[in-house]
Amino acid sequence: MTSFLRQRLPLAIALATALAATAQAAPNPYSGFTVFGDSLLDAGQFPDTGINGANLRFTNRVGPGYSPASGAVTGPVSSILLGQQLGFDVRTLDASTSLINQRIGLSDGDNWATGGYTTAQIRDSITARNGSVVAVGGLTLRSRDGYLPGLASQGLSLDPNTLFYISGGGNDFLQGLVTSPATAAAAANRLGDGVAALQQAGARYMVVWLLPDIGQTPALAGSPQQAASSALSRVYNQALVARLAGIDAEIIGLNVPQLLAEVVAEPGRYGLASGQNLTGTCFSGDNCTRNATYGLGAAAADPSQLLFNDRVHPTITGQRLIADYAYSLLAAPWEVTLLPEMAQSTLRAHQDGLHQRWLGDWHAWQPVGRWQGYVDTSARRLDVDDQRSTAGGDGNGYSLDLGGSYRLSEEWRFGVAAGVARQHLEPGAADSSYRLNSYLLSAFAQYQGERLWGDLTATGGRLDYDDLSRRFALGPTTRSEQGDTDGDLRALSARLGYDLAAAGSPWHLSPYLSADYARVQVDGYRERGNDATALEFDDQSSTSRRLGLGLQGRWQLAPATALFADLGREREFADGTRDVTMRLNSVPGLDYTLDGYQPDSDRTRLSLGVVQRLTPELTLRGGYSYAGAGDTQQQGVGLGLSLDF
């Protein structure tokens, strides 16, 4: 068996590398992924005594028989799963101080979590010389400088775009260091010292676990110490949140205890066995009561049906749920920052519809002193591609516009346009659903001389986000968080062009300059409920400042029929990355701000259409529009009627 494993281990490593390399091409605004903690996040610091040449992880073994003798390896912990979701390679996700990796010539990874570490040792793995120590029974297997001293010794500094993933505190309880509220708070502050040291070195983004309820683990569930351990776990978490709130960084307090409580309340929904004591039994029987139905050695042995592998460590199912939970919080701004852009898209479609209408009756206005009324309908398709901090998605919308204009003189026409629009966007891997109702009102003025022409439009609008459903995977199920909010917009648009043909010509061709300003404000909102994944978002604003160059043309194909086209290129000057500040409903007071959507710098517009005069006063117009940038494309079709009176 040992010879077999030695032959197969390189293949297993190669397969793991290939799997990591083919991880989903998801958004990832982080330059690195570094982990600190204890056995809950340990990626393999210790040699596995059951498998020669392999590293040990503190979760269940997976494979035939679920036993060391089978040659199966241990399942990944949440830090590995989360790193894979973010697209980091297998070497980044590996252990920092593994003796096995050192001996076979593999480079060290960025996971410093080590089984058995207390909060003091976790802090030292960040801050101390010789602070990363892997030892068994007092025998040091390998040691190296902690993270920050190690960087300094290489003349390096911390990359502020690194994401840090941190847990700790359980071993302070299990090793008898926490015996009172004061010692629980002290342990939390020791972990906070490590977080503060990272922040002082330049760290900006951190995910920090709240401590799972120690009383609700097989180690203590049902024992006389359960109630006191649960109470001290709450004290620890209260002290940790208070400490983290005082650190100037973007810190997500991962509410693991509440998540696990929600999972235990509905086990079947999350892939666990129903009708089992999930907090009082385990799979392996290692210092805990082995589950009689799904535990090791049972006829239906299956660790994935249980929450705990041993007295305190989650099975692969628990690890996956925690990783998905963390990912859902990191991914939330990639979707929610698209809300202002939905409004910007609706506004541009409204403006493009006006421009198409004006191009359709260019040099064919109603007589002086007469009115023209119109009605337009349109439908459009929106596609958003993944960015470094934006989730891709598809959307559709439709609108109805009513308006009218009055021709004051040969050169001037004034008018108003009112529009209602409905837009739906489905971004993200789980197809979240965001709906927007927009109510827009525009006033415009047009000048049309012999050759020179121009127009100016002012638009205001009310936004009603009446159905916001953020959806994400949580183990085998999809969870949805619901909310709604309002907003408003205001915009100015101007164009100035010169017609290359005389007024009476059957064709017209004109280059033009355009300038646009738009500001969208989306009110903050709170997702309903107080479960572990529900979030509250602050107000968001989105400003667009564009200059453009275009060429438009119109050809009178027949006395009652004309074709038109418009091609433009715009430069966006407000192209900085949008961000949003948020907090978990269940962890009040711990705010964090993360990056989201980034507008493209350049945008191409195209409009094509036909105008058919049905009677001297009644005109039918049909058109197609396209607006495309590097990561966003919008296409639409429209149909409209106008009546001169």
Side-chain angles (χ1 to χ4, degrees), residues 178-204:
V178 172
T179 57
S180 65
T183 52
N189 278 293
R190 284 193 294 271
L191 189 69
D193 289 342
V195 173
L198 290 170
Q199 182 272 329
Q200 290 162 11
R204 296 169 56 199

Side-chain angles (χ1 to χ4, degrees), residues 532-544:
T533 53
L535 290 165
E536 181 180 5
F537 301 94
D538 282 359
D539 293 352
Q540 296 184 69
S541 63
S542 168
T543 299
S544 176

Side-chain angles (χ1 to χ4, degrees), residues 197-218:
L198 290 170
Q199 182 272 329
Q200 290 162 11
R204 296 169 56 199
Y205 305 109
M206 306 185 207
V207 177
V208 182
W209 282 36
L210 302 191
L211 180 67
D213 186 344
I214 301 299
Q216 292 294 324
T217 64

